[in-house]
Amino acid sequence: MSILGGGIFKGMKVTLWNFVLSYFRRDRLTTNDYSWRPDGDLPQGIGDYPKEEGEQLSDTTTVTNYSRNFPMLLHDGGEPMDTVRCVACQICERECPPQCIYIEKDYDENGKYIKRPAIFDIDVSVCMSCQICVEVCPFDAIVMNSQFELSTPDRFGGLLVRRDDLLKSNDYYHQIHPEEAAARDQKMAAEKAAKEAKKKAAAEKAKAAAEKKAAEAAKGDAE
Amino acid sequence: MSELSHEPLLQQFPDAEWDEAAGAVIAPLGQARTVAEWLLGQGVDYCSNVTGVDYLEHEVKEKITNDAGEVETVTHTEPGRIDVVYHLYSMQNKTGPLVLKQRTGRDNAEAESLTPVWRSCDLQEREVFDLFGVNFKGHPDQRRILMWDEFEGHPMRRDYTEPFDYEWEPTPHNEILEKHQKGKVIV
Amino acid sequence: MSTAAAPNYELLQQDGLETSLLEVSMGPHHPSTHGVFRMDVKLDGETVVDLRPVFGYLHRNHEKLAENMTYLSSMPFTDRLDYFNSMSNNWAYALAAEKLIEVEVPERAEYLRVIMAELTRLVNHVSLVGFFLNDLGALGTPLMYAFREREKILDLFEQASGARMMCNYFRFGGLRNDVPEGWLERAGEVVDRFPSFLDEYEQLLCENEIILSRTQGVGNLPRELAISAGVTGPMLRASGVAYDLRKVDQYGIYDRFKFRVPHTDGDTGDCYDRFMIRMLEMRESIEILKQALAGIPKGEIMGNAPRVFKPKPAEAYGRIEGPKGELGFYLIADGTPKPYRYRVRPPSLINLTVLRDMCLGGKIADTVIILGSIDIVLGEVDR
């Protein structure tokens, strides 16, 4: 025999149970504060996030070390434009699906192309954080940042992030995405070692060929 | 999943062509509804996808050996056409797909509506009408579906130019402005 | 046919009483229409006499955009088609493109694809049930419980791909990157806790008299109409047809998993059937997930697809069983890096063909419930 309203009563029991338990077990909370994550999951304590000059962060950041937001250009420490990895090859500009990147190459006084960008603008109101620029870059120069507090009251150009704001150091990259940065560094070191080994092997081969030629020339002289 | 063979269809309708490159049956002119009804009788009861493809007039180069035995390149102009492509499956026998195409020209494009046969063609043929401009004879309710009713033009056609009614703001890529300056948008 | 008006429609005529039909536009800004969707409803009192759906408010002409971009560059845009299930959309596109080029997907990538797709199915069904109950009037509680579970799965997606919803994770020939360490264990934990959540959810909802009386008998969809109208997904299975692309096409490695396909016994389906089918499908997804997580091998995750994707002229139609129905991609390649024609077969749009048939003759309050049970997402309807 079922009472009219018995089903509703059963449902309310569930709600009441949930309400009571939420005081004791945090994973019963339905609010968005990620309370079920053990404390060790966030990079540091909340609010303690590493700050660089010019960066803003709020206290309720829920960014993990896997999230991506908008791109940034990498440099290897020191004066940013001295060690910037980007050579302004414009591959990311071509491959970007919404076409939000604008690059101009840098030329020195004689008009020769030096390998850095003079202008590198990303329109973050257009950028959809798809990560394709990161995938196609052959120099590991552009990676994803996780900073999301970029709002500005300036409608015409406030959301156009220029080259100098995009440049961040490799150490910062290690802080926000440690695993990915470590993997990338390892890959770059392996590629460099392979290139050096190839160069060395080619140099040795050239030396051996030159010695053989000299020996034959000497033999030819002697005869 | 087993294949739905097109052989019986070609036997029943000798006018239909088989396009090997596309793997599709091209319905004979004016008989598309008959073909569809025959297919429904054969158990092809599910029309999965209806779409249009626009081909502009273009030149096709072919290498043929002429009578003297030399290989020469012959060009002929392939006229523009719009294809209406139907992907058909059979739910009862769990087979498919069978691709059926209706061909029509680009000016006064007309095709037969297969909505009385398979109800799923209803909204999709409306979309082909809206975006390509193909008039479906026998469609119960043909009007624009994705664009608003007073819209002019058919956006998915290859030669469609956008109207210059944007409020554009300066972005690094001023494509619309450049196109307007080159005269490629209608104002 | 589709232009017949509701049966038993007679306006009340009496002296001194002027009756007419009331035309209501349940307009694009409406909390229950699951997006910018409009229905022009003609009412006689509270009975629906005519109903015309109007959409196109979110039309971005995705198909034309894709004709100007390379194959890879369209992948982020497929995320935004059905924005709840971005991983499934990615897989459908990758499947269609992989038919154009002969590339073999490694084992581990196939297993991960199945895991991501089934997690997406869980996300979608649980959100849908939450929204459906929201429309019924259970303002917020089931929705928030559902979203609590969804957050856990979105966390998993963020750890794998970097973004919660717009994942852009699949590539032609495999996946973009491997899942980080410990991900499989975390996924296992989420999957292990899900059945108890589902039990609690069912206890909350499935015997509730209000739900039973408002959804049973409402929105009847007979089987012949469902097949002819091209309805797929849980709606079709609720009308009695056991047609699931995971069993029929067996794309990916679905032939290795044992799971059942829930469908109803009879000839018609109503809203309650569709609601219950989705609850049962969630349980089957958990079965598949358990098997996949147990059997996943180590290995590579990317096959040997060419770097510049230039398929020879051919056509391909790839389809998957998305959470909402059959999601298909029709690609025509012409030897250049850009597709000649790119077409998305949207399940939500095709399922809307029968909205009018189901709503005629019912009350206007039922219209909202029927629309909720069809499970539409406007990003997919309008593309």
Side-chain angles (χ1 to χ4, degrees), chain C residues 5-309:
Chain C
N8 304 327
Y9 153 55
E10 264 174 39
L11 284 177
L12 190 64
Q13 304 290 350
Q14 249 185 24
D15 282 334
L17 207 62
E18 210 180 284
T19 348
S20 59
L21 290 175
L22 178 66
E23 185 160 341
V24 174
S25 158
M26 292 183 69
H29 288 276
H30 195 283
S32 294
T33 56
H34 296 270
V36 276
F37 180 69
R38 187 174 119 210
M39 291 188 280
D40 282 335
V41 188
K42 284 208 178 80
L43 295 171
D44 170 23
E46 282 228 358
T47 320
V48 173
V49 166
D50 190 11
L51 185 143
R52 279 190 159 185
V54 180
F55 33 82
Y57 291 93
L58 197 50
H59 182 62
R60 300 156 285 187
N61 215 344
H62 172 220
E63 302 182 356
K64 185 134 190 148
L65 282 176
E67 288 177 8
N68 296 327
M69 291 196 294
T70 59
Y71 285 86
L72 180 62
S73 303
S74 305
M75 186 63 95
F77 289 117
T78 60
D79 283 336
R80 286 144 171 93
L81 277 176
D82 174 359
Y83 33 82
F84 272 102
N85 322 324
S86 66
M87 295 276 195
S88 298
N89 300 357
N90 282 353
W91 193 2
Y93 181 47
L95 204 67
E98 281 161 11
K99 284 190 181 178
L100 292 174
I101 274 201
E102 295 290 318
V103 59
E104 207 185 290
V105 182
E107 282 261 319
R108 188 177 167 91
E110 289 277 20
Y111 270 88
L112 275 175
R113 281 183 172 188
V114 169
I115 292 174
M116 294 297 176
E118 294 305 318
L119 282 174
T120 311
R121 196 179 310 271
L122 283 178
V123 157
N124 175 276
H125 285 334
V126 93
S127 321
L128 173 82
V129 171
F131 281 121
F132 182 62
L133 286 153
N134 213 19
D135 290 344
L136 274 174
L139 292 171
T141 309
L143 182 62
M144 282 297 125
Y145 289 171
F147 268 50
R148 187 183 63 199
E149 300 306 312
R150 179 174 174 252
E151 285 295 319
K152 297 180 181 152
I153 301 183
L154 289 184
D155 260 356
L156 287 176
F157 285 166
E158 190 183 26
Q159 287 160 11
S161 73
R164 283 153 49 98
M165 270 168 78
M166 307 300 165
C167 299
N168 190 18
Y169 189 48
F170 286 61
R171 295 285 180 267
F172 310 127
L175 302 169
R176 183 182 181 266
N177 54 285
D178 206 349
V179 291
E181 272 191 45
W183 192 89
L184 290 167
E185 283 78 31
R186 284 189 285 250
E189 277 175 37
V190 170
V191 168
D192 285 336
R193 287 213 213 120
F194 220 86
S196 61
F197 162 70
L198 280 181
D199 289 334
E200 201 182 279
Y201 217 56
E202 282 185 5
Q203 199 187 355
L204 179 65
L205 301 171
C206 293
E207 291 180 32
N208 195 318
E209 280 83 359
I210 301 179
I211 296 180
L212 290 178
S213 62
R214 280 198 76 182
T215 56
Q216 280 181 338
V218 165
N220 276 306
L221 183 62
R223 184 204 286 172
E224 286 76 30
L225 180 60
I227 298 180
S228 166
V231 168
T232 51
M235 254 182 103
L236 180 68
R237 293 194 276 280
S239 290
V241 184
Y243 191 74
D244 185 334
L245 287 178
R246 294 174 288 175
K247 294 278 192 191
V248 169
D249 268 355
Q250 294 190 331
Y251 56 93
I253 47 168
Y254 272 110
D255 46 353
R256 296 190 205 178
F257 300 114
K258 269 180 56 171
F259 62 100
R260 297 172 293 184
V261 173
H263 61 279
T264 59
D265 252 341
D267 262 346
T268 66
D270 56 23
C271 290
Y272 188 68
D273 290 332
R274 287 174 220 133
F275 166 58
M276 282 311 290
I277 292 271
R278 290 188 169 105
M279 298 292 285
L280 292 173
E281 275 192 8
M282 278 200 271
R283 294 198 189 263
E284 295 303 320
S285 285
I286 294 176
E287 289 300 311
I288 301 179
L289 275 170
K290 283 194 189 146
Q291 292 170 40
L293 284 169
I296 181 168
K298 295 209 184 304
E300 297 193 334
I301 43 120
M302 189 68 191
N304 289 328
R307 229 192 120 243
V308 180
F309 196 81

Side-chain angles (χ1 to χ4, degrees), chain A:
Chain A
M1 167 193 99
S2 60
I3 337 164
L4 184 67
I8 301 182
F9 181 63
K10 257 200 207 168
M12 289 206 194
K13 252 186 5 189
V14 171
T15 321
L16 188 64
W17 183 234
N18 213 34
F19 173 63
V20 167
L21 263 191
S22 66
Y23 281 102
F24 304 106
R25 293 187 54 195
R26 291 185 315 163
D27 66 349
R28 285 277 179 176
L29 279 175
T30 58
T31 53
N32 209 5
D33 60 358
Y34 296 80
S35 49
W36 64 80
R37 280 200 202 138
D39 285 325
D41 253 5
L42 290 173
Q44 270 102 20
I46 296 180
D48 231 20
Y49 206 84
K51 285 186 169 61
E52 268 201 1
E53 215 181 67
E55 240 176 71
Q56 342 99 289
L57 274 171
S58 70
D59 283 332
T60 57
T61 180
T62 51
V63 164
T64 65
N65 55 355
Y66 297 105
S67 31
R68 65 173 195 251
N69 221 322
F70 292 118
M72 63 182 181
L73 286 175
L74 282 184
H75 67 91
D76 290 310
E79 184 60 38
M81 282 315 288
D82 286 339
T83 54
V84 65
R85 291 187 198 173
C86 172
V87 303
C89 64
Q90 293 180 311
I91 290 184
C92 58
E93 186 182 15
R94 279 202 302 268
E95 296 288 326
C96 173
Q99 303 261 298
C100 65
I101 306 182
Y102 180 69
I103 300 179
E104 270 187 23
K105 296 176 151 71
D106 203 359
Y107 298 94
D108 63 5
E109 312 84 47
N110 304 329
K112 189 167 151 301
Y113 159 53
I114 47 178
K115 293 194 173 169
R116 12 180 269 184
I119 298 184
F120 195 113
D121 292 341
I122 293 188
D123 190 349
V124 292
S125 64
V126 176
C127 173
M128 55 181 190
S129 316
C130 65
Q131 232 180 6
I132 286 191
C133 52
V134 173
E135 263 182 69
V136 297
C137 178
F139 300 97
D140 292 308
I142 186 168
V143 293
M144 295 310 276
N145 197 352
S146 47
Q147 190 185 3
F148 56 91
E149 286 155 315
L150 296 166
S151 54
T152 161
D154 176 14
R155 195 175 155 214
F156 296 101
L159 287 175
L160 189 70
V161 185
R162 301 211 173 262
R163 179 195 72 187
D164 298 320
D165 296 321
L166 282 174
L167 283 167
K168 299 275 191 287
S169 70
N170 199 14
D171 294 330
Y172 172 69
Y173 183 39
H174 272 276
Q175 279 170 342
I176 55 171
H177 291 148
E179 292 175 11
E180 199 185 303
R184 202 173 280 269
D185 280 351
Q186 216 180 25
K187 188 185 96 173
M188 280 177 66
E191 280 178 2
K192 200 160 148 200
K195 217 163 91 174
E196 302 260 306
K198 215 162 113 180
K199 221 163 76 177
K200 205 164 134 192
E204 301 227 327
K205 208 164 131 191
K207 205 167 101 180
E211 279 182 2
K212 197 163 147 202
K213 220 160 122 186
E216 286 194 359
K219 217 163 88 174
D221 275 350
E223 280 181 1

Side-chain angles (χ1 to χ4, degrees), chain B residues 42-139:
Chain B
Q42 297 289 307
V44 177
D45 50 5
Y46 169 45
C47 174
S48 166
N49 179 29
V50 179
T51 184
V53 190
D54 186 19
Y55 294 95
L56 291 173
E57 195 176 279
H58 59 275
E59 289 189 350
V60 173
K61 292 195 172 73
E62 265 184 59
K63 287 199 167 78
I64 55 165
T65 24
N66 64 6
D67 301 323
E70 300 163 343
V71 175
E72 61 174 19
T73 329
V74 169
T75 49
H76 66 268
T77 329
E78 180 102 9
R81 65 171 201 269
I82 296 185
D83 277 353
V84 184
V85 184
Y86 296 81
H87 282 86
L88 305 165
Y89 290 82
S90 165
M91 253 192 216
Q92 8 172 279
N93 310 330
K94 302 211 189 333
T95 54
L98 175 65
V99 185
L100 182 69
K101 288 196 187 188
Q102 287 191 51
R103 289 222 164 130
T104 172
R106 294 186 82 239
D107 311 311
N108 301 328
E110 268 191 353
E112 286 187 39
S113 169
L114 300 186
T115 308
V117 183
W118 296 294
R119 183 77 190 278
S120 63
C121 303
D122 186 353
L123 291 181
Q124 303 191 72
E125 283 178 353
R126 267 177 71 185
E127 184 185 329
V128 176
F129 163 68
D130 184 5
L131 298 179
F132 285 91
V134 179
N135 187 16
F136 284 93
K137 292 189 287 224
H139 194 280

